[in-house]
Every structure is written in C-alpha cells, then in structure tokens.
Amino acid sequence: VTPPKQHIVLAIEAGGTTFKLSYMISASKHLDVSTLPLDEVHIIPTTTPHETMQKIKLYCDKLLVEYEEISSVGIACFGPIQLDSEKPDYGYITSTPKVAWRNFDIVSAVREITNCDDIGFDTDVNAPAFVESKIAGLNNVAYVTIGTGIGVGVVVNGRTVHGLVHPEGGHMFAPLADNDSFPGVCPFHKTCMEGMANSNAIRERCSLKDLSELKNLSDDNPVWDTISHYLAHLCLNVLLITSAERILLGGGVMERKCLFPKIRDRFTKYLNGYVRSDDLESNIDTYICSPSCGSRAGLAGAFALAFHELQ
C-alpha cells in the first residue's frame, strides 16, 4: 500500500511589525484547525523588504533541505494589497504607509524563495475571517482587528470579499460620541473609525507618551466608553452591510476585555431592534466575541489559505 503523500504547508502572517512563520506536515489536503502548530512560530522583525525576505529565505532553505519541496503557502498580509489576479500588480503591497514596502511584489518574492506556485494570498483580516468561518461552520463572518489600525475582513457565502480592492471598513465614519471634540488621527480621513478609536487615538486622548502606557489605564477610565461607541457603530455597519452571522473582534485594543460588554450594550441600543434574530437578542455574547484562535488568528488564517490552495 502506497503511503499517503505528505504535504508541507507553510503559513506566513506578514505584519507591519513582525512576520510570523510556521509550517506543518499533513497527509490530508483538508484543514483541521485542531492540528495547526500555532505555538510553533518563527518571528522575524519587519524591516526592509530585502532584509525581511532574506530571513524568510533562511527559514525556508532549511525546510527545503529537510523536505525537498513546499506544497503550498498561505500569506495573510498587511495592506493595502492587490488581490485581482488579472491585474499586472497582483500580489503587490500597494499604498501602505510603510514607505519601504510600497509597490513590493511579495507573492513573487515568496514564490522565488519557496519554489512553490500554490500560494494563497489575502489580507491579514480576510484570512482570519476565513479560518474563523471554517471553525464556526458559518458562511458569513466578519473579523475586525483594532490596534494601531482598524481592519475589517469579511467572508460572504464562504468566500473572502474581493472587489475593487478589499474591504477597508476601518475607514467608515460614525456619529461623533457626545461631547467628543477629538480631532482624530487618521492621516487620510481624520475622524473615521480608525482615526477615533485605534490605539494611537486612545494614547492621544489620554495624553500618554507611548503605546506601552495603555496597559496602565484603569478599566473605569471614561475613554473606554468613548471607544466602545465607535466600535459598536463599526459592528452595526458591518451587520447592516454584510449580514454577518458572527463578528469577531481581535487586536491589541481588544485585550481590554471590559470593552466587550460596553460594545455589545451600545450595539444593541443603536440597532434598536431593527434586525430580528435570536443571535442578536439572546446570544449577543457569542455574536460579538473574540476569535477562537485568539492572537494567532492571523497565522491560522494563513494556514487556511495554504490548505485552500491544496484543494
């Protein structure tokens, strides 16, 4: 009896601060989240594209020496990125604030390093939405990360949403909170959701010197009421536009667990009974919740993209 082929599956979470890499050997072409090695992670600081890719190459060269080939790769990447495979700049990081990475062809760079053509590529928020939809057995899921930026990934009918580019829900607007005169920090839109509620907005609202001081804020600081106002409106917009069956909130800001009940309460108030569903009326704690993969949702999403390429 011929033993089943062993697939070497590589996951790359390409973040603005670090790249996280992990791999696994699988006899199956199908994703089993319970087997993902999410704690076995190789971390590379995000510096210049050349330096970062050289370090990824060293990691992959060791894999290729040991296993001869890499079967598929998943890249969950910071954006904006080009996802239209018909466009000449498919696979590029495009208009990112990280100047060194603008117009960098990350898919071609990874293809050259790995000698692998089966590469799944999506945003670092679409990929977590994709894997979380698989875990939950739901066809319509949104994943929101709130950190130095706010990103929204969306799965509709089992597929991540691509179009003109990809969802950029963090740049939607909400009514200003009562007595909120904060000017916003988004360099493009000032007072969009990202400009009013990301970690830098919280830092400036509280006159802190750097982001490391956020952890010293108490749970009863009124800033969390203000932030929950904007994040509740973000969830409301996501529901009304996508009819998501679940909204997952991750990222550094959401490590502040007191935000979840505040967001749910405001979300329910602002929705005002307009959309009727048991999930919204009786199960709001599981409708707006943390991703099941926690802080490893991006890496898990990259694995899901890689397994999708094996199909």
Side-chain angles (χ1 to χ4, degrees), residues 13-57:
E13 181 185 359
T17 304
T18 61
F19 275 55
K20 298 182 178 73
L21 285 73
S22 187
Y23 77 95
M24 67 178 295
I25 305 164
S26 175
S28 171
K29 292 185 176 183
H30 299 284
L31 175 71
D32 179 354
V33 176
S34 67
T35 66
L36 296 182
L38 299 180
D39 294 323
E40 298 169 22
V41 183
H42 183 71
I43 297 176
I44 296 170
T46 305
T47 55
T48 66
H50 176 75
E51 289 178 353
T52 306
M53 290 299 127
Q54 282 296 110
K55 291 176 181 176
I56 292 173
K57 185 177 186 303

mmCIF file of all heavy atoms in Angstrom, residues 13-57:
data_model
loop_
_atom_site.group_PDB
_atom_site.id
_atom_site.type_symbol
_atom_site.label_atom_id
_atom_site.label_comp_id
_atom_site.label_asym_id
_atom_site.label_seq_id
_atom_site.Cartn_x
_atom_site.Cartn_y
_atom_site.Cartn_z
ATOM 1 N N GLU A 13 2.276 34.994 8.268
ATOM 2 C CA GLU A 13 1.496 36.169 8.660
ATOM 3 C C GLU A 13 2.412 37.378 8.523
ATOM 4 O O GLU A 13 3.342 37.554 9.318
ATOM 5 C CB GLU A 13 0.973 36.042 10.093
ATOM 6 C CG GLU A 13 0.143 37.240 10.526
ATOM 7 C CD GLU A 13 -0.292 37.192 11.979
ATOM 8 O OE1 GLU A 13 0.027 36.211 12.684
ATOM 9 O OE2 GLU A 13 -0.952 38.155 12.426
ATOM 10 N N ALA A 14 2.163 38.170 7.490
ATOM 11 C CA ALA A 14 3.014 39.320 7.182
ATOM 12 C C ALA A 14 2.439 40.556 7.854
ATOM 13 O O ALA A 14 1.460 41.138 7.380
ATOM 14 C CB ALA A 14 3.096 39.515 5.667
ATOM 15 N N GLY A 15 3.025 40.932 8.975
ATOM 16 C CA GLY A 15 2.531 42.068 9.737
ATOM 17 C C GLY A 15 3.439 43.273 9.611
ATOM 18 O O GLY A 15 4.605 43.154 9.222
ATOM 19 N N GLY A 16 2.916 44.405 9.955
ATOM 20 C CA GLY A 16 3.696 45.631 9.858
ATOM 21 C C GLY A 16 4.837 45.707 10.854
ATOM 22 O O GLY A 16 5.817 46.426 10.634
ATOM 23 N N THR A 17 4.750 44.946 11.954
ATOM 24 C CA THR A 17 5.793 44.933 12.980
ATOM 25 C C THR A 17 6.647 43.675 12.896
ATOM 26 O O THR A 17 7.876 43.743 13.022
ATOM 27 C CB THR A 17 5.166 45.031 14.387
ATOM 28 O OG1 THR A 17 4.343 46.204 14.449
ATOM 29 C CG2 THR A 17 6.239 45.130 15.450
ATOM 30 N N THR A 18 6.000 42.531 12.687
ATOM 31 C CA THR A 18 6.724 41.265 12.580
ATOM 32 C C THR A 18 6.085 40.381 11.514
ATOM 33 O O THR A 18 4.894 40.509 11.213
ATOM 34 C CB THR A 18 6.723 40.478 13.909
ATOM 35 O OG1 THR A 18 5.372 40.161 14.272
ATOM 36 C CG2 THR A 18 7.411 41.246 15.011
ATOM 37 N N PHE A 19 6.902 39.487 10.955
ATOM 38 C CA PHE A 19 6.415 38.376 10.145
ATOM 39 C C PHE A 19 6.438 37.135 11.035
ATOM 40 O O PHE A 19 7.433 36.877 11.718
ATOM 41 C CB PHE A 19 7.321 38.134 8.932
ATOM 42 C CG PHE A 19 7.016 38.994 7.735
ATOM 43 C CD1 PHE A 19 6.985 40.377 7.837
ATOM 44 C CD2 PHE A 19 6.772 38.408 6.502
ATOM 45 C CE1 PHE A 19 6.717 41.162 6.725
ATOM 46 C CE2 PHE A 19 6.501 39.183 5.388
ATOM 47 C CZ PHE A 19 6.470 40.563 5.490
ATOM 48 N N LYS A 20 5.352 36.370 11.025
ATOM 49 C CA LYS A 20 5.282 35.127 11.787
ATOM 50 C C LYS A 20 5.184 33.976 10.789
ATOM 51 O O LYS A 20 4.346 34.001 9.887
ATOM 52 C CB LYS A 20 4.086 35.127 12.728
ATOM 53 C CG LYS A 20 4.126 36.217 13.786
ATOM 54 C CD LYS A 20 2.922 36.113 14.720
ATOM 55 C CE LYS A 20 2.966 37.171 15.803
ATOM 56 N NZ LYS A 20 2.667 38.515 15.313
ATOM 57 N N LEU A 21 6.050 32.972 10.956
ATOM 58 C CA LEU A 21 6.088 31.828 10.062
ATOM 59 C C LEU A 21 5.894 30.540 10.850
ATOM 60 O O LEU A 21 6.401 30.405 11.971
ATOM 61 C CB LEU A 21 7.426 31.748 9.322
ATOM 62 C CG LEU A 21 7.699 32.728 8.182
ATOM 63 C CD1 LEU A 21 7.964 34.137 8.700
ATOM 64 C CD2 LEU A 21 8.882 32.267 7.344
ATOM 65 N N SER A 22 5.175 29.617 10.249
ATOM 66 C CA SER A 22 5.029 28.290 10.821
ATOM 67 C C SER A 22 4.749 27.317 9.682
ATOM 68 O O SER A 22 4.307 27.721 8.612
ATOM 69 C CB SER A 22 3.887 28.263 11.842
ATOM 70 O OG SER A 22 3.840 27.020 12.516
ATOM 71 N N TYR A 23 5.031 26.056 9.913
ATOM 72 C CA TYR A 23 4.738 25.059 8.887
ATOM 73 C C TYR A 23 4.237 23.789 9.550
ATOM 74 O O TYR A 23 4.406 23.580 10.756
ATOM 75 C CB TYR A 23 5.983 24.741 8.038
ATOM 76 C CG TYR A 23 6.988 23.831 8.704
ATOM 77 C CD1 TYR A 23 6.969 22.452 8.465
ATOM 78 C CD2 TYR A 23 7.945 24.332 9.589
ATOM 79 C CE1 TYR A 23 7.879 21.607 9.085
ATOM 80 C CE2 TYR A 23 8.856 23.492 10.202
ATOM 81 C CZ TYR A 23 8.818 22.136 9.952
ATOM 82 O OH TYR A 23 9.710 21.298 10.578
ATOM 83 N N MET A 24 3.614 22.936 8.751
ATOM 84 C CA MET A 24 3.185 21.642 9.261
ATOM 85 C C MET A 24 3.250 20.614 8.144
ATOM 86 O O MET A 24 3.271 20.957 6.956
ATOM 87 C CB MET A 24 1.779 21.706 9.845
ATOM 88 C CG MET A 24 0.685 21.956 8.838
ATOM 89 S SD MET A 24 -0.945 21.942 9.625
ATOM 90 C CE MET A 24 -1.054 20.217 10.160
ATOM 91 N N ILE A 25 3.318 19.361 8.539
ATOM 92 C CA ILE A 25 3.293 18.234 7.613
ATOM 93 C C ILE A 25 1.910 17.610 7.730
ATOM 94 O O ILE A 25 1.467 17.259 8.826
ATOM 95 C CB ILE A 25 4.372 17.205 7.975
ATOM 96 C CG1 ILE A 25 5.747 17.876 8.034
ATOM 97 C CG2 ILE A 25 4.381 16.058 6.983
ATOM 98 C CD1 ILE A 25 6.791 17.046 8.740
ATOM 99 N N SER A 26 1.224 17.493 6.597
ATOM 100 C CA SER A 26 -0.141 16.984 6.623
ATOM 101 C C SER A 26 -0.326 15.914 5.556
ATOM 102 O O SER A 26 0.055 16.110 4.402
ATOM 103 C CB SER A 26 -1.134 18.127 6.388
ATOM 104 O OG SER A 26 -2.455 17.632 6.298
ATOM 105 N N ALA A 27 -0.939 14.811 5.935
ATOM 106 C CA ALA A 27 -1.289 13.774 4.966
ATOM 107 C C ALA A 27 -2.594 14.107 4.260
ATOM 108 O O ALA A 27 -2.925 13.513 3.241
ATOM 109 C CB ALA A 27 -1.410 12.423 5.666
ATOM 110 N N SER A 28 -3.314 15.092 4.805
ATOM 111 C CA SER A 28 -4.604 15.486 4.238
ATOM 112 C C SER A 28 -4.478 16.820 3.522
ATOM 113 O O SER A 28 -3.651 17.667 3.882
ATOM 114 C CB SER A 28 -5.649 15.598 5.349
ATOM 115 O OG SER A 28 -6.841 16.174 4.855
ATOM 116 N N LYS A 29 -5.326 17.020 2.516
ATOM 117 C CA LYS A 29 -5.396 18.310 1.840
ATOM 118 C C LYS A 29 -6.435 19.222 2.484
ATOM 119 O O LYS A 29 -6.656 20.332 2.020
ATOM 120 C CB LYS A 29 -5.750 18.114 0.363
ATOM 121 C CG LYS A 29 -4.665 17.439 -0.464
ATOM 122 C CD LYS A 29 -5.058 17.398 -1.939
ATOM 123 C CE LYS A 29 -3.944 16.805 -2.787
ATOM 124 N NZ LYS A 29 -4.293 16.833 -4.228
ATOM 125 N N HIS A 30 -7.054 18.738 3.549
ATOM 126 C CA HIS A 30 -8.144 19.482 4.171
ATOM 127 C C HIS A 30 -7.709 20.058 5.515
ATOM 128 O O HIS A 30 -7.006 19.409 6.291
ATOM 129 C CB HIS A 30 -9.366 18.583 4.331
ATOM 130 C CG HIS A 30 -9.884 18.066 3.024
ATOM 131 N ND1 HIS A 30 -10.616 18.845 2.155
ATOM 132 C CD2 HIS A 30 -9.736 16.854 2.425
ATOM 133 C CE1 HIS A 30 -10.922 18.140 1.076
ATOM 134 N NE2 HIS A 30 -10.396 16.933 1.214
ATOM 135 N N LEU A 31 -8.169 21.251 5.781
ATOM 136 C CA LEU A 31 -7.817 21.972 7.006
ATOM 137 C C LEU A 31 -8.434 21.311 8.227
ATOM 138 O O LEU A 31 -9.631 21.036 8.253
ATOM 139 C CB LEU A 31 -8.308 23.422 6.893
ATOM 140 C CG LEU A 31 -8.139 24.310 8.122
ATOM 141 C CD1 LEU A 31 -6.665 24.638 8.331
ATOM 142 C CD2 LEU A 31 -8.945 25.602 7.967
ATOM 143 N N ASP A 32 -7.615 21.052 9.230
ATOM 144 C CA ASP A 32 -8.073 20.624 10.547
ATOM 145 C C ASP A 32 -7.428 21.568 11.554
ATOM 146 O O ASP A 32 -6.249 21.435 11.880
ATOM 147 C CB ASP A 32 -7.669 19.172 10.816
ATOM 148 C CG ASP A 32 -8.113 18.682 12.204
ATOM 149 O OD1 ASP A 32 -8.622 19.509 12.990
ATOM 150 O OD2 ASP A 32 -7.932 17.488 12.498
ATOM 151 N N VAL A 33 -8.206 22.532 12.017
ATOM 152 C CA VAL A 33 -7.645 23.609 12.838
ATOM 153 C C VAL A 33 -7.017 23.060 14.116
ATOM 154 O O VAL A 33 -6.023 23.602 14.612
ATOM 155 C CB VAL A 33 -8.740 24.650 13.165
ATOM 156 C CG1 VAL A 33 -8.207 25.720 14.109
ATOM 157 C CG2 VAL A 33 -9.256 25.290 11.882
ATOM 158 N N SER A 34 -7.556 21.957 14.618
ATOM 159 C CA SER A 34 -7.043 21.417 15.885
ATOM 160 C C SER A 34 -5.606 20.923 15.761
ATOM 161 O O SER A 34 -4.920 20.755 16.763
ATOM 162 C CB SER A 34 -7.937 20.272 16.369
ATOM 163 O OG SER A 34 -7.843 19.156 15.501
ATOM 164 N N THR A 35 -5.133 20.712 14.539
ATOM 165 C CA THR A 35 -3.772 20.201 14.341
ATOM 166 C C THR A 35 -2.767 21.303 14.008
ATOM 167 O O THR A 35 -1.573 21.017 13.859
ATOM 168 C CB THR A 35 -3.744 19.159 13.204
ATOM 169 O OG1 THR A 35 -4.063 19.806 11.955
ATOM 170 C CG2 THR A 35 -4.733 18.035 13.464
ATOM 171 N N LEU A 36 -3.208 22.535 13.867
ATOM 172 C CA LEU A 36 -2.303 23.603 13.444
ATOM 173 C C LEU A 36 -1.280 23.913 14.539
ATOM 174 O O LEU A 36 -1.644 24.090 15.710
ATOM 175 C CB LEU A 36 -3.085 24.868 13.100
ATOM 176 C CG LEU A 36 -4.055 24.782 11.919
ATOM 177 C CD1 LEU A 36 -4.716 26.134 11.678
ATOM 178 C CD2 LEU A 36 -3.354 24.299 10.655
ATOM 179 N N PRO A 37 -0.010 24.031 14.183
ATOM 180 C CA PRO A 37 1.045 24.301 15.177
ATOM 181 C C PRO A 37 1.169 25.802 15.468
ATOM 182 O O PRO A 37 2.183 26.427 15.185
ATOM 183 C CB PRO A 37 2.300 23.745 14.480
ATOM 184 C CG PRO A 37 2.033 23.979 13.022
ATOM 185 C CD PRO A 37 0.547 23.806 12.828
ATOM 186 N N LEU A 38 0.127 26.363 16.071
ATOM 187 C CA LEU A 38 0.071 27.817 16.232
ATOM 188 C C LEU A 38 1.013 28.335 17.316
ATOM 189 O O LEU A 38 1.231 29.552 17.421
ATOM 190 C CB LEU A 38 -1.369 28.247 16.534
ATOM 191 C CG LEU A 38 -2.395 27.917 15.444
ATOM 192 C CD1 LEU A 38 -3.780 28.383 15.863
ATOM 193 C CD2 LEU A 38 -1.996 28.534 14.111
ATOM 194 N N ASP A 39 1.560 27.435 18.122
ATOM 195 C CA ASP A 39 2.518 27.853 19.146
ATOM 196 C C ASP A 39 3.960 27.651 18.700
ATOM 197 O O ASP A 39 4.892 28.022 19.412
ATOM 198 C CB ASP A 39 2.267 27.098 20.453
ATOM 199 C CG ASP A 39 0.932 27.464 21.074
ATOM 200 O OD1 ASP A 39 0.567 28.649 20.986
ATOM 201 O OD2 ASP A 39 0.259 26.568 21.616
ATOM 202 N N GLU A 40 4.139 27.053 17.517
ATOM 203 C CA GLU A 40 5.490 26.823 16.987
ATOM 204 C C GLU A 40 5.738 27.865 15.898
ATOM 205 O O GLU A 40 5.546 27.623 14.710
ATOM 206 C CB GLU A 40 5.589 25.399 16.442
ATOM 207 C CG GLU A 40 5.362 24.336 17.503
ATOM 208 C CD GLU A 40 5.201 22.947 16.900
ATOM 209 O OE1 GLU A 40 5.666 22.734 15.764
ATOM 210 O OE2 GLU A 40 4.590 22.092 17.568
ATOM 211 N N VAL A 41 6.151 29.042 16.328
ATOM 212 C CA VAL A 41 6.192 30.200 15.444
ATOM 213 C C VAL A 41 7.607 30.772 15.373
ATOM 214 O O VAL A 41 8.277 30.932 16.402
ATOM 215 C CB VAL A 41 5.222 31.303 15.946
ATOM 216 C CG1 VAL A 41 5.202 32.480 14.980
ATOM 217 C CG2 VAL A 41 3.821 30.742 16.110
ATOM 218 N N HIS A 42 8.034 31.051 14.161
ATOM 219 C CA HIS A 42 9.308 31.727 13.931
ATOM 220 C C HIS A 42 8.993 33.196 13.640
ATOM 221 O O HIS A 42 8.240 33.497 12.718
ATOM 222 C CB HIS A 42 10.045 31.087 12.758
ATOM 223 C CG HIS A 42 11.390 31.685 12.495
ATOM 224 N ND1 HIS A 42 12.475 31.502 13.330
ATOM 225 C CD2 HIS A 42 11.830 32.488 11.481
ATOM 226 C CE1 HIS A 42 13.523 32.156 12.853
ATOM 227 N NE2 HIS A 42 13.164 32.756 11.737
ATOM 228 N N ILE A 43 9.559 34.100 14.417
ATOM 229 C CA ILE A 43 9.228 35.524 14.302
ATOM 230 C C ILE A 43 10.403 36.284 13.697
ATOM 231 O O ILE A 43 11.546 36.143 14.149
ATOM 232 C CB ILE A 43 8.847 36.105 15.676
ATOM 233 C CG1 ILE A 43 7.581 35.403 16.208
ATOM 234 C CG2 ILE A 43 8.612 37.615 15.578
ATOM 235 C CD1 ILE A 43 7.162 35.824 17.600
ATOM 236 N N ILE A 44 10.087 37.091 12.690
ATOM 237 C CA ILE A 44 11.087 37.904 12.004
ATOM 238 C C ILE A 44 10.639 39.368 12.078
ATOM 239 O O ILE A 44 9.515 39.676 11.684
ATOM 240 C CB ILE A 44 11.224 37.475 10.527
ATOM 241 C CG1 ILE A 44 11.757 36.043 10.428
ATOM 242 C CG2 ILE A 44 12.108 38.439 9.747
ATOM 243 C CD1 ILE A 44 11.701 35.472 9.027
ATOM 244 N N PRO A 45 11.476 40.269 12.565
ATOM 245 C CA PRO A 45 11.087 41.677 12.590
ATOM 246 C C PRO A 45 10.869 42.202 11.172
ATOM 247 O O PRO A 45 11.596 41.852 10.241
ATOM 248 C CB PRO A 45 12.284 42.379 13.247
ATOM 249 C CG PRO A 45 13.039 41.299 13.945
ATOM 250 C CD PRO A 45 12.811 40.046 13.157
ATOM 251 N N THR A 46 9.847 43.034 11.007
ATOM 252 C CA THR A 46 9.584 43.654 9.714
ATOM 253 C C THR A 46 10.490 44.873 9.572
ATOM 254 O O THR A 46 10.293 45.889 10.234
ATOM 255 C CB THR A 46 8.114 44.091 9.601
ATOM 256 O OG1 THR A 46 7.279 42.953 9.852
ATOM 257 C CG2 THR A 46 7.807 44.641 8.216
ATOM 258 N N THR A 47 11.514 44.735 8.719
ATOM 259 C CA THR A 47 12.413 45.872 8.468
ATOM 260 C C THR A 47 12.221 46.293 7.013
ATOM 261 O O THR A 47 11.133 46.678 6.626
ATOM 262 C CB THR A 47 13.869 45.487 8.790
ATOM 263 O OG1 THR A 47 14.229 44.300 8.047
ATOM 264 C CG2 THR A 47 14.043 45.216 10.278
ATOM 265 N N THR A 48 13.251 46.198 6.189
ATOM 266 C CA THR A 48 13.085 46.467 4.761
ATOM 267 C C THR A 48 12.647 45.176 4.068
ATOM 268 O O THR A 48 12.882 44.077 4.587
ATOM 269 C CB THR A 48 14.393 46.953 4.125
ATOM 270 O OG1 THR A 48 15.347 45.874 4.181
ATOM 271 C CG2 THR A 48 14.947 48.163 4.858
ATOM 272 N N PRO A 49 12.050 45.280 2.879
ATOM 273 C CA PRO A 49 11.688 44.058 2.162
ATOM 274 C C PRO A 49 12.892 43.142 1.924
ATOM 275 O O PRO A 49 12.786 41.922 2.105
ATOM 276 C CB PRO A 49 11.126 44.590 0.835
ATOM 277 C CG PRO A 49 10.580 45.932 1.176
ATOM 278 C CD PRO A 49 11.528 46.483 2.199
ATOM 279 N N HIS A 50 14.034 43.692 1.544
ATOM 280 C CA HIS A 50 15.205 42.867 1.248
ATOM 281 C C HIS A 50 15.651 42.104 2.492
ATOM 282 O O HIS A 50 15.858 40.881 2.442
ATOM 283 C CB HIS A 50 16.353 43.732 0.725
ATOM 284 C CG HIS A 50 17.619 42.959 0.484
ATOM 285 N ND1 HIS A 50 17.768 42.117 -0.598
ATOM 286 C CD2 HIS A 50 18.789 42.877 1.197
ATOM 287 C CE1 HIS A 50 18.976 41.555 -0.552
ATOM 288 N NE2 HIS A 50 19.611 42.008 0.524
ATOM 289 N N GLU A 51 15.806 42.802 3.613
ATOM 290 C CA GLU A 51 16.257 42.151 4.839
ATOM 291 C C GLU A 51 15.256 41.109 5.320
ATOM 292 O O GLU A 51 15.630 40.002 5.727
ATOM 293 C CB GLU A 51 16.474 43.192 5.944
ATOM 294 C CG GLU A 51 17.688 44.084 5.739
ATOM 295 C CD GLU A 51 17.810 45.119 6.844
ATOM 296 O OE1 GLU A 51 16.881 45.216 7.674
ATOM 297 O OE2 GLU A 51 18.827 45.835 6.866
ATOM 298 N N THR A 52 13.981 41.462 5.269
ATOM 299 C CA THR A 52 12.946 40.549 5.758
ATOM 300 C C THR A 52 12.877 39.297 4.891
ATOM 301 O O THR A 52 12.803 38.172 5.407
ATOM 302 C CB THR A 52 11.585 41.263 5.779
ATOM 303 O OG1 THR A 52 11.698 42.489 6.533
ATOM 304 C CG2 THR A 52 10.520 40.391 6.428
ATOM 305 N N MET A 53 12.921 39.475 3.587
ATOM 306 C CA MET A 53 12.869 38.318 2.684
ATOM 307 C C MET A 53 14.107 37.429 2.826
ATOM 308 O O MET A 53 14.019 36.207 2.702
ATOM 309 C CB MET A 53 12.716 38.780 1.236
ATOM 310 C CG MET A 53 11.364 39.387 0.922
ATOM 311 S SD MET A 53 9.987 38.230 1.172
ATOM 312 C CE MET A 53 8.940 39.217 2.245
ATOM 313 N N GLN A 54 15.261 38.027 3.093
ATOM 314 C CA GLN A 54 16.470 37.227 3.299
ATOM 315 C C GLN A 54 16.314 36.306 4.501
ATOM 316 O O GLN A 54 16.730 35.140 4.476
ATOM 317 C CB GLN A 54 17.688 38.138 3.485
ATOM 318 C CG GLN A 54 18.237 38.722 2.208
ATOM 319 C CD GLN A 54 18.782 37.650 1.264
ATOM 320 O OE1 GLN A 54 18.204 37.376 0.214
ATOM 321 N NE2 GLN A 54 19.879 37.020 1.652
ATOM 322 N N LYS A 55 15.690 36.805 5.552
ATOM 323 C CA LYS A 55 15.490 35.986 6.758
ATOM 324 C C LYS A 55 14.429 34.913 6.515
ATOM 325 O O LYS A 55 14.545 33.790 7.033
ATOM 326 C CB LYS A 55 15.114 36.878 7.936
ATOM 327 C CG LYS A 55 16.284 37.750 8.389
ATOM 328 C CD LYS A 55 15.892 38.712 9.492
ATOM 329 C CE LYS A 55 17.088 39.582 9.889
ATOM 330 N NZ LYS A 55 16.737 40.601 10.897
ATOM 331 N N ILE A 56 13.415 35.236 5.724
ATOM 332 C CA ILE A 56 12.423 34.218 5.353
ATOM 333 C C ILE A 56 13.093 33.139 4.507
ATOM 334 O O ILE A 56 12.818 31.943 4.664
ATOM 335 C CB ILE A 56 11.237 34.862 4.604
ATOM 336 C CG1 ILE A 56 10.451 35.762 5.560
ATOM 337 C CG2 ILE A 56 10.325 33.798 3.999
ATOM 338 C CD1 ILE A 56 9.360 36.571 4.893
ATOM 339 N N LYS A 57 14.003 33.544 3.629
ATOM 340 C CA LYS A 57 14.713 32.585 2.782
ATOM 341 C C LYS A 57 15.533 31.605 3.623
ATOM 342 O O LYS A 57 15.547 30.397 3.355
ATOM 343 C CB LYS A 57 15.619 33.304 1.793
ATOM 344 C CG LYS A 57 16.315 32.383 0.783
ATOM 345 C CD LYS A 57 17.140 33.167 -0.211
ATOM 346 C CE LYS A 57 17.701 32.260 -1.297
ATOM 347 N NZ LYS A 57 18.519 31.164 -0.770
#
